[in-house]
Amino acid sequence: MASQSDVARLANVSFMTVSRVVNGDPRVKPETRERVQRAIEELRYRPNAAARALNRQRSMTIALVLPRMDAALSEPYFSQLIYHVERALMPLDYSILIVSGENRGGVDPTLLFDQKKADGVMILGAQIGDPRLEALSARGCPTVLLHARSELPGISWVDVDNAAMVDYFVDRLHRLGHRRIAFISGDLSVPNARQRLDAFRARTETLGLPCGEDLHFPGDWSSGSGFRAFARFHALEVRPSAVIASNDHMAIGFLKAAAESGVSVPDDLSVVGIDDIEMAAYTTPSLTTMRQPLRLIASGAVEALAAAMDDGSRPASRLVLGAEPVLRESCGPISSVSFS
Amino acid sequence: MASQSDVARLANVSFMTVSRVVNGDPRVKPETRERVQRAIEELRYRPNAAARALNRQRSMTIALVLPRMDAALSEPYFSQLIYHVERALMPLDYSILIVSGENRGGVDPTLLFDQKKADGVMILGAQIGDPRLEALSARGCPTVLLHARSELPGISWVDVDNAAMVDYFVDRLHRLGHRRIAFISGDLSVPNARQRLDAFRARTETLGLPCGEDLHFPGDWSSGSGFRAFARFHALEVRPSAVIASNDHMAIGFLKAAAESGVSVPDDLSVVGIDDIEMAAYTTPSLTTMRQPLRLIASGAVEALAAAMDDGSRPASRLVLGAEPVLRESCGPISSVSFS
DNA sequence: CTGTTAGCGCATTCAG
DNA sequence: CTGAATGCGCTAACAG
């Protein structure tokens, strides 16, 4: 592989001039620049990232921590997030190092920062009290959370408005005549799961709807947990007429169990989810859900992280984005009951 | 951040000794080693990856090229592959750089190699004739394909036995009495899609089953394309009694369309998919499919890539793995027809 | 067993 | 506008 000196020799200049051309320094005679350019082409010269990183003290790389495998974030959904993050990062010329979400035994993002393998860290769907967050915050490592929140100093985040999404569905179901609404929560060690549950409780109470603990079916984001939640539903003396699931996977699992039990959706029961994964349009019945502004989440996170990496002393930024309802077949008016 | 010299000063040795300790060189007096270790702890020293990479000419990083967004590989499924790749790579102390699959306008993995940002490249679900493959092969960049194949020199790959999976289903359906079987293919610019289609044609022909082009419904891996394939099915004068989809997403889309048209699965029609994504267990009816040996694919690929990076001159390795059928509700014996 | 010398490829600083 | 010197942090190859 050719180095700057090789190029310099071929172009009859010092390697310093080559460096200038490569970095677009304007103080180079056009004619010389031209000559250097040709030499670069001829030798297929490419700047060595390691040398550059060593000198500049910047790796031009960020670490992206994926959610834990056990479905902290809906699967098909976070791969899209990766895509959008990459798109947003490309113009800045940053690369992405991925790190599995497993915090036990996995790669430590703080270590990557200390080793200068990454200039900043992005975390998808962080857990509450994840020890890595504190470590990152303490190190002063530029960090941004996607789909999660944190009060730690120096930790920026971008999240959707969890309360607004849940409120929307509670209100809508209420208007459709539903009075008894159940809620399937996600893994409560994830901030979003808790926020959604809290919003559900608050909103049902405000509207004067029943909101006892028997209407809360704990789940863990997985389809299986949604499926199992149906047993709780089924065991209830007086059944709810609607169920809000904290994500589509659980809603789909629940739908499956309902179908097996002969409960007809949406005739006997309305079901809604959150995320709008691709499959949500292809279940039977198709799923009413909430589409997340993925591109905005990604670009917002990239912007926040870039700012933090440019200026380590700036305060953390926080951004809350709205989601968009997608109305499909799984949700309808309450049937054959006097509205009380 | 502390450097080796800082540690050396604190431990009263030369930085060379520190380097030896860090790299586990045995030729260091235990007592000295101990002292250095303590200094390392105290200063929280971490080796600088850029400096190490510059000196060793190895970045200890590989690039992982994701499949294109338009579902070249089933979504929830490739995130698991990432996970397994990471697990397999961790003991070797390699990091993973991710690159989006979009070949137009995306990051070029060859460039990452030339810049020495990556020592090797792993590609998930490569397209046929992807120009990047040739570039990689020409550069002599250690490369391994997952879920794809290539004859280019120096390109290793690990793939499942596509023909065996399709053969299994054709045979099984045949034994269940089905005679007229249709096939939904994936995006035919992906090698796997073509192999599966070819296997279908060959096997039906061998068994003396009808295999006209009207029984081939072209898809593109997405649920939507599976959904649309149903229109072709529906338009047929004489309808098949079974459908094999090249992946679960398309099978699920097809299932949805069938449900909407009142075609009962598996009573009127059997449907099978490939991949065993999580959702396959939660559709109604649940989906009979083929589970891929993800962990083996990942570990095989890592092994092949590691070998190629160690010794650039070694021949490419090829590995074909078998899949495991998962029998669920969507597939049953043919109904109300004399077996001919 | 430990230290010295040299250089990986690049960019900043200062001289011309 | 261009070049020379210097150092980023580390390790390989030699000394001692």
Side-chain angles (χ1 to χ4, degrees):
Chain A
M1 197 81 243
S3 76
Q4 285 189 347
S5 324
D6 299 323
V7 175
R9 207 171 306 120
L10 184 60
N12 264 316
V13 292
S14 82
F15 63 85
M16 206 37 241
T17 301
V18 177
S19 174
R20 292 201 176 94
V21 171
V22 168
N23 293 296
D25 188 319
R27 320 170 302 185
V28 176
K29 205 199 297 181
E31 176 188 321
T32 313
R33 172 185 307 279
E34 183 69 23
R35 194 149 32 95
V36 172
Q37 290 284 19
R38 273 205 308 277
I40 287 177
E41 304 282 326
E42 192 170 332
L43 266 41
R44 282 200 168 67
Y45 165 78
R46 295 285 178 276
N48 180 310
R52 201 173 254 195
L54 178 57
N55 187 302
R56 300 215 273 227
Q57 309 280 14
R58 297 199 111 194
S59 61
M60 296 308 282
T61 301
I62 66 151
L64 180 62
V65 181
L66 302 183
R68 291 175 36 186
M69 270 288 285
D70 50 4
L73 226 56
S74 293
E75 287 288 6
Y77 161 88
F78 93 81
S79 69
Q80 302 196 42
L81 217 33
I82 296 182
Y83 172 77
H84 285 121
V85 168
E86 196 200 350
R87 300 294 290 188
L89 229 26
M90 201 154 18
L92 306 182
D93 220 57
Y94 269 87
S95 304
I96 305 173
L97 226 39
I98 56 175
V99 177
S100 150
E102 304 296 334
N103 36 24
R104 33 157 230 170
V107 174
D108 179 6
T110 308
L111 180 59
L112 291 176
F113 179 69
D114 285 347
Q115 290 178 146
K116 303 231 149 63
K117 269 202 141 181
D119 303 330
V121 174
M122 217 175 244
I123 303 185
L124 297 190
Q127 308 274 115
I128 288 172
D130 185 331
R132 295 176 300 184
L133 286 190
E134 290 194 36
L136 257 6
S137 173
R139 284 277 185 300
C141 172
T143 305
V144 56
L145 275 31
L146 287 78
H147 264 282
R149 308 182 184 193
S150 166
E151 292 306 320
L152 290 170
I155 307 284
S156 301
W157 48 259
V158 181
D159 196 6
V160 290
D161 194 335
N162 293 295
M165 294 191 296
V166 173
D167 286 355
Y168 175 90
F169 279 137
V170 173
D171 290 350
R172 178 173 178 78
L173 289 166
H174 183 252
R175 279 199 311 276
L176 287 169
H178 297 275
R179 291 297 174 265
R180 203 169 186 77
I181 305 173
F183 188 86
I184 309 179
S185 62
D187 173 356
L188 291 175
S189 67
V190 174
N192 277 356
R194 188 158 288 285
Q195 285 186 23
R196 291 173 193 181
L197 175 59
D198 290 346
F200 170 74
R201 286 174 172 157
R203 197 63 183 174
T204 45
E205 182 162 10
T206 301
L207 293 175
L209 302 180
C211 54
E213 188 51 24
D214 56 329
L215 290 177
H216 167 215
F217 310 151
D220 63 10
W221 301 122
S222 73
S223 300
S225 72
F227 185 89
R228 290 187 295 276
F230 188 80
R232 309 258 322 227
F233 167 86
H234 207 261
L236 253 33
E237 341 66 77
V238 39
R239 304 247 185 88
S241 63
V243 176
I244 300 175
S246 273
N247 77 351
D248 289 351
H249 279 224
M250 296 194 295
I252 291 173
F254 191 87
L255 239 32
K256 167 69 174 172
E260 286 187 353
S261 291
V263 173
S264 170
V265 176
D267 299 332
D268 303 339
L269 176 67
S270 283
V271 175
V272 304
I274 289 180
D275 279 352
D276 192 32
I277 66 177
E278 186 198 8
M279 214 50 77
Y282 296 100
T283 52
T284 302
S286 59
L287 188 65
T288 287
T289 182
M290 203 54 93
R291 180 173 301 146
Q292 314 260 16
L294 295 190
R295 188 172 327 207
L296 287 180
I297 294 174
S299 57
V302 166
E303 198 173 329
L305 190 58
M309 293 189 302
D310 268 6
D311 171 10
S313 66
R314 92 203 318 267
S317 67
R318 278 99 206 241
L319 182 58
V320 177
L321 299 167
E324 173 197 359
V326 180
L327 306 179
R328 296 205 183 88
E329 304 162 353
S330 67
C331 177
I334 193 167
S335 66
S336 64
V337 176
S338 65
F339 291 9
S340 60
Chain B
M1 194 85 242
S3 76
Q4 283 189 347
S5 322
D6 299 324
V7 176
R9 208 170 306 122
L10 184 61
N12 265 317
V13 292
S14 81
F15 61 85
M16 202 44 233
T17 301
V18 178
S19 173
R20 290 202 176 94
V21 171
V22 169
N23 293 296
D25 188 321
R27 321 169 300 184
V28 177
K29 203 199 299 182
E31 176 188 320
T32 313
R33 173 185 305 280
E34 182 70 22
R35 195 150 30 94
V36 172
Q37 291 283 20
R38 272 206 308 278
I40 287 178
E41 304 281 327
E42 192 171 331
L43 268 42
R44 285 200 163 67
Y45 166 78
R46 295 285 177 276
N48 179 310
R52 199 173 254 194
L54 178 57
N55 188 303
R56 300 216 271 228
Q57 310 279 13
R58 296 199 113 194
S59 61
M60 296 308 280
T61 301
I62 67 151
L64 180 62
V65 181
L66 301 183
R68 290 176 36 185
M69 269 288 286
D70 50 4
L73 227 54
S74 294
E75 287 286 8
Y77 161 86
F78 91 82
S79 68
Q80 303 196 43
L81 216 33
I82 295 183
Y83 172 77
H84 288 301
V85 168
E86 197 200 350
R87 298 293 290 190
L89 229 26
M90 202 152 19
L92 307 182
D93 218 57
Y94 269 87
S95 305
I96 305 173
L97 227 38
I98 57 173
V99 178
S100 149
E102 304 295 334
N103 36 24
R104 36 157 226 169
V107 174
D108 180 4
T110 309
L111 180 60
L112 291 176
F113 179 69
D114 285 346
Q115 291 179 145
K116 304 228 152 64
K117 269 202 139 179
D119 302 331
V121 174
M122 217 174 244
I123 303 184
L124 297 191
Q127 308 274 116
I128 289 173
D130 185 331
R132 296 176 298 185
L133 286 189
E134 291 195 36
L136 256 9
S137 173
R139 284 279 183 297
C141 171
T143 304
V144 56
L145 274 31
L146 287 79
H147 264 280
R149 307 182 185 195
S150 166
E151 291 308 319
L152 291 170
I155 307 284
S156 301
W157 49 258
V158 181
D159 197 7
V160 289
D161 194 335
N162 293 295
M165 293 192 295
V166 173
D167 286 356
Y168 174 89
F169 279 137
V170 173
D171 289 353
R172 178 172 177 79
L173 289 166
H174 183 253
R175 279 200 311 277
L176 287 170
H178 297 275
R179 290 299 173 265
R180 201 166 188 80
I181 304 173
F183 188 86
I184 310 179
S185 62
D187 173 356
L188 291 174
S189 66
V190 174
N192 278 358
R194 188 159 289 286
Q195 285 186 25
R196 291 173 193 181
L197 175 60
D198 290 346
F200 169 75
R201 285 174 173 155
R203 195 64 182 175
T204 46
E205 182 162 10
T206 301
L207 294 175
L209 302 180
C211 54
E213 189 51 24
D214 56 329
L215 291 177
H216 166 215
F217 309 150
D220 62 11
W221 301 121
S222 72
S223 300
S225 73
F227 185 89
R228 290 187 294 277
F230 188 81
R232 310 257 323 225
F233 167 86
H234 207 260
L236 253 34
E237 342 65 77
V238 41
R239 304 244 185 91
S241 64
V243 176
I244 300 174
S246 273
N247 76 351
D248 289 351
H249 279 224
M250 296 193 295
I252 291 173
F254 191 87
L255 238 32
K256 167 69 174 172
E260 286 189 352
S261 291
V263 173
S264 170
V265 176
D267 299 334
D268 302 339
L269 176 66
S270 284
V271 175
V272 304
I274 289 179
D275 279 351
D276 192 33
I277 65 177
E278 186 198 8
M279 212 50 74
Y282 296 100
T283 53
T284 303
S286 59
L287 189 65
T288 287
T289 182
M290 202 54 95
R291 181 173 302 148
Q292 314 260 13
L294 295 192
R295 190 173 325 208
L296 287 180
I297 293 175
S299 58
V302 166
E303 198 173 330
L305 191 57
M309 292 189 302
D310 267 6
D311 171 10
S313 66
R314 91 201 324 263
S317 68
R318 277 101 208 240
L319 182 58
V320 177
L321 299 167
E324 173 199 356
V326 179
L327 307 179
R328 296 205 184 88
E329 304 164 351
S330 67
C331 177
I334 193 166
S335 66
S336 65
V337 176
S338 64
F339 292 7
S340 60

